[in-house]
């Protein structure tokens, strides 16, 4: 069994993710092997909120170049978590506004 903090790695703070706050949508970077049910349970445990829906996105790594050397950045997985209407807000994101 995974711990909640192993599933949820960090919040994603961008202009686009901040525009979703009005609709109770929050974006997190999650572990690549985490499923939607694990993500839902982890967010509810860490932040004490009620999750209505979870959407996930897999982002492949990109090829980067530094001079003559090439390499690939790590692949990521993001989760867009929608909270229920009667749920409280997540304070990390509210302080960014």
């Amino acid at each position: 069994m995974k711990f909640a903090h192993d599933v949820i790695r960090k919040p994603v703070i961008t202009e686009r993710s901040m525009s979703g706050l009005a609709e109770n949508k929050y974006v997190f970077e999650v572990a690549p092997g985490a499923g939607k049910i694990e993500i839902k349970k982890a967010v509810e445990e860490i932040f004490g909120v009620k999750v209505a829906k979870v959407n996930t996105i897999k982002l492949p790594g990109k090829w980067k170049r530094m001079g003559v050397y090439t390499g690939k950045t790590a692949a990521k997985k993001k989760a867009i978590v929608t909270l229920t209407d009667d749920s409280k807000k997540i304070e990390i994101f509210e302080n960014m506004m």
Side-chain angles (χ1 to χ4, degrees):
M1 181 173 160
K2 297 180 182 178
F3 293 108
H5 290 285
D6 294 335
V7 175
I8 305 295
R9 290 192 173 167
K10 63 182 180 179
V12 177
I13 310 293
T14 60
E15 284 187 37
R16 185 169 183 173
S17 67
M18 290 294 122
S19 66
L21 295 181
E23 302 167 359
N24 283 344
K25 292 185 179 182
Y26 299 90
V27 183
F28 297 97
E29 185 179 322
V30 296
K36 291 183 179 184
I37 296 171
E38 288 177 325
I39 295 168
K40 178 180 177 179
K41 289 179 182 178
V43 170
E44 288 177 345
E45 180 183 328
I46 293 171
F47 300 108
V49 295
K50 294 180 186 176
V51 176
K53 182 168 75 167
V54 176
N55 295 332
T56 58
I57 304 164
K58 284 189 174 182
L59 301 170
K62 295 181 181 181
W63 287 98
K64 296 289 183 180
R65 223 182 112 123
M66 293 248 338
V68 295
Y69 302 106
T70 59
K72 196 170 186 181
T73 61
K76 298 178 185 178
K77 186 173 185 179
K78 291 195 307 187
I80 302 170
V81 178
T82 306
L83 303 181
T84 58
D85 292 334
D86 59 340
S87 179
K88 67 177 188 172
K89 306 288 184 187
I90 296 178
E91 295 176 12
I92 295 172
F93 290 93
E94 297 302 320
N95 294 334
M96 294 292 169
M97 298 292 288

